[in-house]
Amino acid sequence: MHLPPLLYPQTPTIARAIYKTYSQDFIVEEQLTIDFSEQGEHLWLQLQKTGLNTAYVARLLAQWAQIPVKDVGYSGLKDRHAVTTQWFSLRLPHKHLPAADFAQFMATTLADGERITMLAQHWHGKKLQRGTHTGNRFDITLREVQCADRAAFNKQLTQITHDGVPNYFGSQRFGHNGQNLAHALTWFTKTNAKSRTPSKRKNAMRHATGLYLSAARGVLFNAMVAQRVQDGTWQTPLDGEVMNLVGSRSVFAAPTIDDSLRARLVAGDLYLTAALWGDGLPMSSAQVQALELAVIGSNECYQALAEGLAAFGTRQERRAMQVIPHHLTAGWQDDTTLTLHFDLPTGSFATVVLGALVQDLVLATSVVDESSDDALA
């Protein structure tokens, strides 16, 4: 399936750049603040890993501790082609530590180019749940950078620091060449015909691949945001908006726009949202709802994905259309090598920030694009 283009409000000032040439070119540190009780049967480990994705590390930890993989918790998915730091939790009944030494077990298990280092450990009373972290810190090195006007690049950095970028889902959400969406369309066609009653829908949903659902919602969201960017309204409120209170998941409907709401948007207290599609009409109304329904109706594939999501009873939700990378800085190592540093909140993609700066962002040929949420905060 053809992915909609990710439109940006300004033309990127870097013509071309390569990313992930080496694992060290993509460094991610999970941001998680928690007061450990040092009590309970959950051992929390902060690990730095290279050449390993999160799900595989969870399986390795289960083998090391000789526990079911369901008793291993983590907050978010991290890429294999990167150096990443994140927390895991292991449920160890009666606080019985694994018999095998951690470093020795990993040394005899990992393949060439794979590394895990334990940075910290704490006991706690609860399992680490998905989405617990507040965000990620990124250090990303771009190579073979083609930037003809560094003054314009610096100006764009300042603009992004103030206005942010469209909060698209990155291409990782959709798999290599959009294969997750193709699978989603096939999967909806096969399972919807067998899932006409609520009880059967619930049973099918339990066995559904969440990856396909999130891919379907993601491409529809991206199409709506791209339309708002094209219209010049992704930061300009229309009647019928649903607003997001910045720093929270709280949303509220704004059937009409008054000066108070406009002031809060300008102050950065509120973001406009677009639909994460599900059953029924979106939470928006008036102009915004008409726009969102028009986007769904503009493409047969979009219609099929929307119908599939509705058939499974997926809930209508909202996602902010804007994200601001905090502490955004850039440093040139030489004429063609650039390192960017920034923080993103949970659920936002670093590659989307890169896309706002680089017109032709090229994944290194040594890296196979994965369908996991790599480069996701």
Side-chain angles (χ1 to χ4, degrees):
M1 175 180 171
H2 177 69
L3 295 176
L6 303 187
L7 304 180
Y8 290 92
Q10 287 84 31
T11 302
T13 50
I14 295 175
R16 186 178 187 273
I18 297 176
Y19 74 110
K20 292 190 178 180
T21 304
Y22 310 103
S23 293
Q24 295 82 354
D25 287 350
F26 211 96
I27 300 174
V28 188
E29 182 179 350
E30 188 175 74
Q31 304 297 294
L32 187 151
T33 302
I34 188 167
D35 293 325
F36 293 104
S37 65
E38 304 301 346
Q39 304 293 326
E41 59 183 13
H42 294 273
L43 181 64
W44 287 45
L45 305 176
Q46 187 185 37
L47 304 179
Q48 184 182 81
K49 54 192 179 61
T50 303
L52 297 159
N53 67 30
T54 300
Y56 181 62
V57 171
R59 293 195 294 271
L60 288 180
L61 291 172
Q63 294 173 21
W64 170 61
Q66 296 185 351
I67 59 175
V69 71
K70 67 181 179 64
D71 287 341
V72 179
Y74 52 85
S75 182
L77 298 173
K78 301 292 184 291
D79 185 20
R80 178 162 68 95
H81 302 286
V83 178
T84 62
T85 299
Q86 70 176 123
W87 285 91
F88 293 82
S89 72
L90 289 70
R91 180 178 177 269
L92 302 178
H94 310 296
K95 300 178 71 171
H96 289 165
L97 290 169
D101 177 76
F102 177 86
Q104 185 176 5
F105 174 86
M106 294 300 172
T108 57
T109 304
L110 299 179
D112 290 344
E114 299 175 344
R115 292 189 296 277
I116 299 180
T117 303
M118 186 188 302
L119 304 179
Q121 65 178 44
H122 295 276
W123 288 103
H124 197 54
K126 296 180 179 180
K127 179 181 180 179
L128 175 55
Q129 301 293 335
R130 295 293 293 270
T132 300
H133 66 302
T134 58
N136 284 324
R137 177 166 297 141
F138 294 91
D139 295 305
I140 299 174
T141 298
L142 303 177
R143 299 184 185 275
E144 300 183 28
V145 178
Q146 298 175 10
C147 181
D149 190 341
R150 290 197 185 182
F153 168 73
N154 291 334
K155 183 178 180 180
Q156 189 170 42
L157 274 186
T158 301
Q159 174 266 317
I160 289 175
T161 298
H162 182 266
D163 295 332
V165 299
N167 193 23
Y168 293 119
F169 288 96
S171 60
Q172 306 91 318
R173 177 57 55 96
F174 311 115
H176 185 56
N177 292 328
Q179 63 183 2
N180 291 348
L181 291 168
H183 291 323
L185 287 168
T186 301
W187 181 68
F188 283 147
T189 301
K190 290 181 177 179
T191 56
N192 285 357
K194 303 175 182 178
S195 307
R196 296 303 180 192
T197 67
S199 60
K200 288 184 179 180
R201 275 205 307 269
K202 183 176 180 181
N203 185 60
M205 189 69 169
R206 185 181 299 115
H207 295 92
T209 302
L211 196 61
Y212 301 161
L213 292 174
S214 61
R217 297 180 99 187
V219 75
L220 299 180
F221 174 88
N222 281 5
M224 293 176 198
V225 176
Q227 185 63 56
R228 296 289 296 264
V229 171
Q230 181 173 309
D231 294 345
T233 64
W234 74 289
Q235 291 181 312
T236 302
L238 306 173
D239 285 342
E241 298 283 7
V242 179
M243 307 282 193
N244 165 238
L245 183 61
V246 174
S248 77
R249 297 183 181 180
S250 176
V251 298
F252 65 91
T256 58
I257 305 300
D258 57 24
D259 290 342
S260 174
L261 288 176
R262 289 191 182 89
R264 294 181 68 184
L265 285 165
V266 171
D269 183 37
L270 299 174
Y271 287 156
L272 305 180
T273 69
L276 290 173
W277 205 260
D279 190 18
L281 290 174
M283 298 167 62
S284 56
S285 61
Q287 290 175 279
V288 176
Q289 186 182 96
L291 182 151
E292 293 178 344
L293 292 174
V295 169
I296 296 296
S298 68
N299 181 299
E300 289 184 1
C301 288
Y302 293 171
Q303 294 177 48
L305 292 171
E307 290 169 3
L309 289 165
F312 280 94
T314 310
R315 204 167 46 134
Q316 284 277 357
E317 296 179 306
R318 307 295 293 187
R319 172 180 168 93
M321 290 196 291
Q322 176 183 3
V323 63
I324 295 179
H326 293 293
H327 310 117
L328 175 61
T329 60
W332 292 90
Q333 298 181 23
D334 55 44
D335 288 343
T336 60
T337 306
L338 174 68
T339 299
L340 297 163
H341 311 271
F342 55 89
D343 296 351
L344 284 178
T346 304
S348 297
F349 287 76
T351 48
V352 170
V353 177
L354 298 182
L357 293 166
V358 184
Q359 187 168 353
D360 183 14
L361 181 64
V362 181
L363 186 66
T365 55
S366 60
V367 177
V368 177
D369 194 15
E370 297 180 316
S371 59
S372 63
D373 286 343
D374 58 327
L376 168 66

